[in-house]
Structures are given as C-alpha cells and as structure tokens.
Amino acid sequence: MQLLIEQRKAKIEAIRALGVDPYPYRFDPANTTREIVADPERFSEQPVSIAGRLMSIRGKGKTAFAHIQDAEGRIQIYVRRDAVGETPYSIWNLLDIGDIIGVKGPVFVTHTGETTVQVTEFVVLCKSIRPLPVVKEQMVEGERRVYDDIRSNVELRYRHRSIDLIINPEVREVFRKRSQILQSVRRVLEDRGFIEVETPALQRVYGGANARPFKTHHNALDIDLYLKISPELYLKRLVVGGLERVYDLSKNFRNEGIDRTHNPEFTMLEAYQAYADFNDMMALTEAVYVESCLKVNGTTTISLQGREINLEPPWERVEMVEAIGKHAGISVENLSDEELLSMVRVHDPDAPAVLSRGMLIADLFEYRVEKELTGPVFVTNHPEETSPLCKASRTRPGFIERFEPYILGYEIGNAYSEMNDPVRQRQLLEAQAAHREVDGEVPPVDEDFLRAMEIGMPPTGGLGIGIDRMVMVLTDQASIRDVIAFPTLRPADARDADTP
RNA sequence: GCCUCCAUAGCUCAAUGGUAGAGCAGCGGACUCUUAAUCCGUUGGUUGAAGGUUCAAGUCCUUCUGGGGGUACCA
C-alpha cells in the first residue's frame, strides 16, 4: 500500500517536471457523460468537454482507451499520441485509475458500437495517490456484471463512503433520491401552509418520547444538557404561541441500540396542525408518502424486498385490538390480564408481572402482529398507557386517539390527536414520571412545557415520520446504513476511541 | 447485551497441521479501434491483535478488536 502511494507521488513530481500543475484551480465541463451517451449524434460536429474520474485504462502503445466517470455516468475516451501531442501523451502515461481529468474533443462511435470521445486535449484536474479498489465489470446482454464484488465489503463501504460512492453508482442514486424525498416532504408541508421551524438540539429537559438521551455539558453555564430525543414539546410551545402549522425536519438522538432500522442519530419529521385531529394526520401521512414516492419512483407502487406494494390512498385503517384479532387470532377483550401476561411471556419470558393491561396489549401487538403488516396500514387506538401526550379515544374507553403507519413490518411514523387539557396533561406526565425508578427511559416532567399547556393549546393533530425509514421504503434498501451517508460505527481502531 | 458466522497482498479469493498462492491492480517492456484488451517480465504479506497447544499453526484452543446475520432494548 505504502509502495503504491510512493509510486504515485513520484508521478506527481514527473508531471510537475513536464511543466504541468496536477492540481489546477478550475475547469468548465460543458457536457455530462449522460447527455452524450444518450444522443451521440448531437455531438458529432462540435467538440464536447467533460470532467470526471478515470475508472479504467487500456493502453495500447501510442493510443489508449479509458473510461471516465462523472456524477451521472461513464463514457469511453480515446487518446492518440498524434492527436494530443508528444508531451501531453507522456503525461497521459503518468495517469492512474482514480485520477480526475477534463477532456475535450469530438464524439464518435467505435466500430464495436461504443460512444467515445476522441480526445484532442486533456487536463489533469487531480492526481490521486491512494488507489481505488479495482472493479472489473462487463456488460452482458445489457446487464452490468461486477467481477470483483465491492458491495460485499460492507465495512469498507460504510467506513469509506467516498469509495463506495465512486464504485457503486446505485449508492449515488440512493443519496440523490434521499435529497429529492426531503425536498418533496418540505413541499407537501409548505403547500399546506406549514412553516419550518427549528427546535433546540441541546435541551435542559429532554422529552416527547421514551428514550435514553445523550448527555453533554456546557462549560460556560456549567450545566448538563441533553441532545434532543424529540422536538415534540417545543413544537407544541410554538403552536401555543400561534404558529398554527409548524414542522421540524432534523436530527434526533437516542442513546440506544443499533440495528437494521435504528441509528443513534436519525432524521425525523414532526408536524403539528392546529384545529386538526389524527384523521387529518392520516391524510397528511398519505400525502407525504405518495408525493415523495411519485417524485423518486414516478409511480405510487413500490417494490420492497421483492414485494409489490401500492401506496395509493386511502390506506387501510385498523384498530390495534382488531389487528391482534385479525393477524394473531386473539380476541383481547375476552382475556384476563393473567392470560395476556402468559401470552407475552411466550415471547419475553422476563416480562414483569406489574405490566399494565394496556402495555400487555401493546407488547402482544408488537410480538405477534407488527411483522405481518404488509400495509400500508394505519394501526389506530393504542392503549392509553402507551403515551401521556395523546387524547383519549372517542370510541374505545381505555385507549387513545393515536396511530402508527406500517409498511412491510416497518413502523414508519406515529401520530396523535394531541392532549391539550392542561390539568389532565400534568396528571399524565406526573404519573409517568413516578415510574422513573422502574423505567429509566421515562423523561422528567418539563415544567415549562406544562406552563405553555396552561396558557392553552388549540386542538391539534401531530405527526412524526421517520425519514430514514421512509428513504429505505422508497428506495428499497434493507438497512438504515444504506440511507445514512455516515452511519454510526464502532471506531475501527481502538486508538480512535480515545481521540476527542 | 446474548447467540452465531467471518477477518489471508490495494481488491476478489485459494492454501489436508508441513516452503503463504492465483486473478485483477501496480511496476518494466511490446502494441494506433480497445473494452474483463492481449503478450513477455516483475514488485507486493507482522495471514486483524495478543497469548497457548505442537517438532511444526493461516489452519487447533483462549482472549481481545472490527464486521455480517439473528435476537433483546428502542411505548
């Protein structure tokens, strides 16, 4: 490795010795590889100029073929010594795979049929000194076949995303789509009169969800602060203040496990609409998903892990207890608490006997039903013990007006008809806080939030949508690490762990 | 956290407990329509780390590190 880098550094000096700066300041790529490949005829008369990274080189003495890759694709170039000149051709011979160059010249089609730029002029834009993993590929019946499969080296892909992006065009596509989805989500909300606001990432009192927070310290104030686990309590303060439609689209941080659908920092949309209830939030959820899906896939049907799923609204709605009956064949109403507990203990032998009936129902749903939900489906009316921030169900006593949308077993959001009775809100939060001894994840009571509630919040619908999972669903990626450019990983080297 | 599988050259992978190898990349040479270019020659290794068993360890054992999959936590 060190040898390879030394060899390339020597080439930099050789290039400089020929009077050429291997790190110039700018270049004007007037064309893209994609537009040229799409319509070579158009460029047969006037020369094109493109820039990109050298991805393969086939030297043949006084001529050479190579491929260069830009943001949108690859194109073959053809370099002849008698076309570019003696000195430039010796510079050409100092180039490696991975270098970035700009080329100019007319376009032609080789007699094997590949669109190619006949290089009349080229410039070195960046000499690379660290070799890329070499991927050999071949087109077979229009299908791209990779011989050395770099995708299998996931560690390299996540730790060195630059390399992953260079080598795997489909990875670039996922992040391009992620950007389009964020744009689309914002557009749906702006079109409906929502305004984007920001809530503190550093919070004195964390809340709005049950999760372990990251703790940090502010030196000047000498106080401990927590990273935001949810923007909820701050967004509601803004609704109290008269910003009737607000949303926060930003990172949340939860100090918990990492798996295929969880990353410690993740992107969340939370939207609050005054004078609305959870029915309005269902319509909003459908709009956010459908609009974004149309934007990146051009259709409302997605292909997800081999399944075809249609997102066309209206999505199915099913109450949680009905879903348990339908998918697990259990009629919760006819079971005693003891029977429920024993059913939960089939899946979690350590389930504490003190669990309330509502929590047992929620657990049973999680163990027996969640995976079965192909969806899209809104699971509604959760047991009241599952959240203190939600209003009671209008139809089912002991339950609340909440829903979670599911697609292929993924919980992709959460919404309430928000609690706005300040007296009841205080009771619920204080009752929950009393359980902190038992459940370390219960947040402390946020007095300032309760004070805002006492001033009065209009009836409000609130919606949270996990954006990373949304990107997974809309781009058919099985791991959250494939939709977050720099997922949280253990330090590769133990020494890194001590580096601040 | 627990279970399980994996870690060998820049990349993809071989090597029955017995001299660490191949292809590609790299380096030198030949070649003016190649495309997994071809041909000749060639460099490159603390086998993830540390211990142990053995005459002998990439291979067996233990621990550690990193990763994958599963599971738990994540209302």
Side-chain angles (χ1 to χ4, degrees):
Chain A
M1 184 55 151
Q2 210 47 48
L3 176 69
L4 296 176
I5 290 177
E6 288 310 318
Q7 284 169 343
R8 290 197 178 195
K9 284 180 176 170
K11 288 180 180 180
I12 291 174
E13 293 318 310
I15 290 168
R16 289 205 169 108
L18 289 165
V20 170
D21 177 7
Y23 301 101
Y25 289 81
R26 70 184 308 278
F27 183 80
D28 279 312
N31 308 95
T32 65
T33 60
R34 186 162 67 174
E35 63 173 351
I36 297 169
V37 173
D39 187 9
E41 301 272 308
R42 217 177 104 208
F43 300 97
S44 56
E45 297 301 316
Q46 91 233 33
V48 297
S49 95
I50 52 174
R53 193 178 293 274
L54 271 168
M55 296 304 289
S56 68
I57 302 173
R58 293 176 294 283
K60 278 179 53 63
K62 298 181 184 67
T63 70
F65 287 90
H67 276 96
I68 67 175
Q69 169 173 294
D70 66 10
E72 300 188 330
R74 286 182 183 193
I75 195 168
Q76 180 168 259
I77 61 173
Y78 180 43
V79 185
R80 297 165 56 120
R81 189 172 70 173
D82 59 13
V84 296
E86 198 86 22
T87 306
Y89 198 75
S90 48
I91 288 169
W92 169 262
N93 280 323
L94 291 166
L95 296 181
D96 291 292
I97 288 171
D99 293 348
I100 299 169
I101 63 170
V103 308
K104 292 179 182 170
V107 175
F108 73 108
V109 177
T110 64
H111 64 222
T112 52
E114 180 161 356
T115 300
T116 302
V117 177
Q118 159 83 57
V119 177
T120 53
E121 204 183 318
F122 76 91
V123 288
V124 182
L125 297 175
C126 177
K127 181 76 187 138
S128 162
I129 61 170
R130 185 174 290 273
L132 289 172
V134 177
V135 178
K136 284 290 177 184
E137 61 181 7
Q138 186 186 32
M139 302 292 285
V140 176
E141 291 165 17
E143 200 180 346
R144 183 166 152 275
R145 294 209 359 217
V146 177
Y147 282 80
D148 294 340
D149 184 7
I150 198 71
R151 286 215 65 144
S152 63
N153 189 343
V154 292
E155 185 172 2
L156 179 142
R157 292 188 47 225
Y158 299 143
R159 286 195 195 283
H160 306 289
R161 187 67 89 177
S162 307
I163 293 173
D164 184 31
L165 288 163
I166 291 167
I167 301 295
N168 297 310
E170 59 278 15
V171 175
R172 294 199 292 275
E173 198 53 32
V174 168
F175 290 108
R176 207 170 280 132
K177 285 183 174 175
R178 183 178 175 115
S179 164
Q180 290 171 353
I181 288 167
L182 288 170
Q183 262 181 42
S184 163
V185 168
R186 287 195 164 97
R187 161 158 306 184
V188 168
L189 290 161
E190 302 285 339
D191 284 352
R192 286 162 177 72
F194 286 80
I195 60 167
E196 182 167 8
V197 297
E198 292 167 281
T199 58
L202 294 174
Q203 303 182 353
R204 184 72 179 122
V205 182
Y206 61 94
N210 274 8
R212 299 213 313 262
F214 287 93
K215 189 177 182 178
T216 185
H217 187 80
H218 187 270
N219 291 336
L221 294 176
D222 192 24
I223 52 170
D224 287 337
L225 292 169
Y226 299 92
L227 265 54
K228 159 165 68 177
I229 60 171
S230 159
E232 175 157 353
L233 304 188
Y234 287 91
L235 289 171
K236 286 180 175 171
R237 286 170 169 87
L238 296 175
V239 175
V240 168
L243 298 180
E244 295 177 352
R245 296 184 179 201
V246 292
Y247 71 97
D248 177 303
L249 180 46
S250 65
K251 285 280 182 66
N252 289 358
F253 306 86
R254 297 186 182 176
N255 205 340
E256 276 154 6
I258 298 176
D259 66 22
R260 252 192 2 267
T261 57
H262 294 85
N263 195 64
E265 56 176 304
F266 62 102
T267 302
M268 174 95 110
L269 166 70
E270 286 209 15
Y272 289 81
Q273 178 177 345
Y275 311 114
D277 67 8
F278 82 152
N279 292 303
D280 300 296
M281 294 301 103
M282 288 189 214
L284 186 58
T285 305
E286 289 166 347
V288 164
Y289 254 83
V290 167
E291 290 302 310
S292 303
C293 188
L294 282 170
K295 176 115 178 188
V296 295
N297 295 322
T299 154
T300 57
T301 304
I302 53 168
S303 166
L304 186 57
Q305 291 167 33
R307 310 277 292 267
E308 294 283 314
I309 295 174
N310 191 352
L311 300 181
E312 191 70 44
W315 295 0
E316 186 193 349
R317 302 178 179 201
V318 59
E319 295 194 42
M320 183 177 279
V321 291
E322 290 170 0
I324 295 173
K326 191 170 153 194
H327 292 275
I330 300 168
S331 67
V332 171
E333 287 98 330
N334 302 329
L335 294 175
S336 67
D337 291 7
E338 290 70 27
E339 288 168 319
L340 284 172
L341 179 62
S342 66
M343 296 184 91
V344 166
R345 282 191 166 155
V346 169
H347 303 277
D348 177 14
D350 301 327
V354 297
L355 282 178
S356 66
R357 181 175 180 84
M359 293 312 292
L360 289 169
I361 292 172
D363 283 349
L364 203 55
F365 170 80
E366 222 169 279
Y367 291 128
R368 298 293 296 273
V369 182
E370 229 176 57
K371 298 181 194 60
E372 311 297 323
L373 297 172
T374 307
V377 55
F378 294 114
V379 175
T380 67
N381 293 1
H382 296 51
E384 62 186 359
E385 295 91 334
T386 60
S387 174
L389 297 165
C390 183
K391 273 184 167 159
S393 165
R394 279 171 271 190
T395 56
R396 196 181 274 274
F399 291 76
I400 51 177
E401 205 162 292
R402 172 182 186 181
F403 72 81
E404 290 177 317
Y406 282 86
I407 294 178
L408 207 64
Y410 292 136
E411 175 199 328
I412 57 168
N414 184 26
Y416 307 142
S417 292
E418 303 293 341
M419 170 58 62
N420 70 335
D421 172 342
V423 176
R424 183 85 182 117
Q425 181 69 91
R426 176 176 288 278
Q427 285 170 354
L428 289 170
L429 287 178
E430 287 180 347
Q432 189 196 46
H435 282 93
R436 291 196 73 191
E437 314 288 299
V438 189
D439 181 353
E441 292 186 345
V442 171
V445 174
D446 185 337
E447 283 297 333
D448 185 72
F449 166 70
L450 283 172
R451 195 184 159 98
M453 284 296 111
E454 287 166 2
I455 291 166
M457 182 174 79
T460 297
L463 169 66
I465 289 181
I467 297 296
D468 309 289
R469 288 187 194 172
M470 183 175 176
V471 176
M472 287 171 66
V473 165
L474 296 183
T475 62
D476 194 14
Q477 298 296 308
S479 169
I480 201 166
R481 289 179 165 177
D482 291 319
V483 301
I484 294 176
F486 303 101
T488 305
L489 301 173
R490 239 178 258 272
D493 187 324
R495 284 170 306 180
D496 293 354
D498 300 325
T499 307

